[in-house]
Amino acid sequence: MTATGAGGGTAEFRAARDFLLRHRADYRAAYEGFAWPRPAHFNWALDWFDAIADGNDRTALHIVEEDGEETRLSFAELARRSARAANWLRGLGVGAGDRIVVMLGNQAELWEVALAAMKLRAVVIPATPLLGAADLRDRIERGRARHVVVRGEDIAKFADVPGEYTRIVVGAGDAQGAGAGAGAGAGAGAASAEGADGWISYDGVDTAPADFTPDGPTRADDPLMLYFTSGTTARPKLVEHTHVSYPVGHLATMYWIGLRPGDVHLNISSPGWAKHAWSNLFAPWNAEATVFIHNYTRFDAGRLMREMDRAGVTSFCAPPTVWRMLIQADLTQLRTPPREVVAAGEPLNPEVIEQVRRDWGVTIRDGFGQTETAVQVANTPGQELRPGSMGRPTPGFVVALLDPVTGAPGAEEGEIALDLSAHPVGLMTGYHGDPERTAEAMADGYYRTGDIGARSADGYLTYVGRSDDVFKASDYKISPFELESALLEHEAVAEAAVVPAPDPVRLAVPKAYVVLAEGYQPGPDTAKLLFEHSRAVLAPYKRVRRLEFGVLPKTVSGKIRRIELREATAEGSGAEYREEDFR
């Protein structure tokens, strides 16, 4: 069916994986005994996925649509389909080093194209279908993309995205009616297959042979993915990962989640963002688990839990936004809770953890990582959990806290950083096209995350906040996350974000932007309730002094855009309530 990528690293990779599986509940043994596989050549799609797929009829991918339609693909079927896709894409001119913008939803073609691109040694630029024309221009230009693969309903977005790139369309009538949005002609090798509008139907993949031969070995340090960060505070950075930094690096993610062979794993994440690759591609298939997807246009907690029961989901990962929506529902609707439940993306508030523990009998385990890395710090299976802590460094990562003044390691509270002398595999090569930013992030032997943490005497780490989110009020340092967690303890609060508001006496005071839970209305009565709650649960210097109701601005990946809230606060608002008005 396929040839290998001349990797030679398959046995080393399997040995490292099996070591973590054996010690899945023994953190000390796993952390002290784990060594990263460091093959010179490795192609995860050829050397790992195709190896475990050979003759394997177990389900690799299970997708349930909102209307009940289902797609089930075995490991063997996906290996064959991705081989066909690789041969077909090669016929369109896709080659080693070419950049491909992949903008698909949670559909089988997304996984096919990802595996095919790896086999071809092409470089994937993941993109969420939520992106608009301006974002796409940025990805095409800065990513120097030569090819795009998109859904039929999204091709009109490319009307104002110039460039000589191959245009490939998947589904929804393919290129029907797309002539007005075709732009420049298709790229090299595509002319014979393109329609009058320049878009090439992905349906042609079915005619390609299922025997794939790579055109050369894959070096472990060859680029594999270019990720545009979510841009919560600035212009998105372009993060470069290799054929080992994500596929091999996510052995740590597999360990954190607690995945085992044969598990059914559900991760709620939008395609195009790093967490999707973390937990809908590499971590579950490193463990030989099934990836389960439930597609929906509007979140329905009851329907999600019914599908989880029906599919036999054994492990579940969701961002805090989804967890907060889930606890608004009756969690006992889920008859068979997953064995493992985790959260990532932003810190999870303690009251959410407690409610899930009460209703499901399992504890959500936090994990901390970035687009630039695999999971660095986590509460791993079987370990003692400390309230508010995000756990300890994961196997393969040496984490330091850098003093905010001197930059020296060993601080009790400081910037979370990775010790580069440990040569962590699960770390980006750098910010593509930006050597100055890369040098700044990797200075003095540490990769700096830009996040602040505190370490306890026995090594547990607690998240404090982004370095540019933490602020001072009356010379006291304020962690927005701590205040937000306190607000979320009140039943009226569904979501909250805290930023500094200018104050003539204290320099700054905490201002909360609040999204109310169902049954509560914005107004002075609710504001009074929340100010009273703040006074009851927070020290005087931490109390919320100003409050405003509304929708929180978010990136397309679901993270709160605090920069917008800070800017709005600086401008002032007639809609805010002040604590002093209720005395």
Side-chain angles (χ1 to χ4, degrees), residues 247-268:
V248 177
H250 285 303
L251 286 172
T253 307
M254 177 199 77
Y255 181 76
W256 160 52
I257 297 172
L259 290 165
R260 304 172 183 174
D263 274 350
V264 177
H265 181 59
L266 168 59
N267 168 57
I268 296 181

Side-chain angles (χ1 to χ4, degrees), residues 182-205:
S192 62
E194 72 180 58
D197 49 24
W199 286 91
I200 304 164
S201 171
Y202 187 78
D203 285 349
V205 74

Side-chain angles (χ1 to χ4, degrees), residues 167-413:
R167 291 159 166 81
I168 301 167
V169 58
V170 177
D174 294 327
Q176 293 299 316
S192 62
E194 72 180 58
D197 49 24
W199 286 91
I200 304 164
S201 171
Y202 187 78
D203 285 349
V205 74
D206 295 332
T207 64
D211 293 314
F212 176 78
T213 302
D215 59 6
T218 304
R219 290 182 53 85
D221 59 0
D222 282 345
L224 170 63
M225 287 180 160
L226 290 175
Y227 266 106
F228 284 72
T229 60
S230 56
T232 57
T233 59
R235 186 188 188 203
K237 301 183 288 287
L238 188 48
V239 175
E240 182 175 307
H241 279 286
T242 70
H243 279 267
V244 295
S245 65
Y246 252 25
V248 177
H250 285 303
L251 286 172
T253 307
M254 177 199 77
Y255 181 76
W256 160 52
I257 297 172
L259 290 165
R260 304 172 183 174
D263 274 350
V264 177
H265 181 59
L266 168 59
N267 168 57
I268 296 181
S269 179
S270 172
W273 301 111
K275 191 59 175 65
H276 195 275
W278 280 36
S279 297
N280 280 339
L281 179 62
F282 295 119
W285 287 348
N286 280 348
E288 299 177 69
T290 297
V291 173
F292 174 69
I293 299 291
H294 171 47
N295 282 323
Y296 52 82
T297 53
R298 183 174 180 177
F299 183 78
D300 181 336
R303 171 71 187 276
L304 177 66
M305 287 186 275
R306 288 194 296 275
E307 294 297 346
M308 290 172 68
D309 265 329
R310 193 169 66 86
V313 168
T314 56
S315 57
F316 177 47
C317 178
T321 297
V322 169
W323 282 111
R324 287 193 287 266
M325 289 191 291
L326 270 172
I327 66 169
Q328 300 293 317
D330 177 9
L331 292 179
T332 62
Q333 294 176 77
L334 186 64
R335 296 191 304 273
T336 308
R339 184 190 71 243
E340 313 288 352
V341 289
V342 295
E346 289 183 315
L348 194 63
N349 309 96
E351 62 280 359
V352 178
I353 297 173
E354 181 53 39
Q355 185 162 333
V356 173
R357 182 189 291 125
R358 186 173 60 248
D359 290 344
W360 284 1
V362 292
T363 301
I364 306 173
R365 296 182 285 100
D366 258 338
F368 168 80
Q370 299 176 303
T371 302
E372 290 88 339
T373 70
V375 64
Q376 305 168 30
V377 179
N379 287 298
T380 54
Q383 307 309 304
E384 179 185 355
L385 301 181
R386 306 289 174 81
S389 171
M390 59 185 181
R392 292 176 285 185
T394 51
F397 290 101
V398 177
V399 175
L401 297 184
L402 305 183
D403 186 276
V405 177
T406 67
E412 291 184 3
E413 182 174 312

Side-chain angles (χ1 to χ4, degrees), residues 21 61 73 316 368 411 447 454 472 474 526 543:
L21 290 177
L61 179 64
L73 294 173
F316 177 47
F368 168 80
Y447 164 67
K472 282 193 172 184
S474 298
T526 307
R543 288 198 323 237

Side-chain angles (χ1 to χ4, degrees), residues 483 486-487 489-490 498 510 512 527-547 579:
L483 274 62
L487 285 170
E489 292 174 7
H490 197 284
V498 172
K528 184 173 184 287
L529 274 179
L530 297 182
F531 281 127
E532 289 172 347
H533 172 72
S534 170
R535 286 197 293 273
V537 300
L538 292 169
Y541 72 91
K542 296 179 181 179
R543 288 198 323 237
V544 172
R545 305 285 180 169
R546 300 180 191 175
L547 189 148
E579 184 192 37

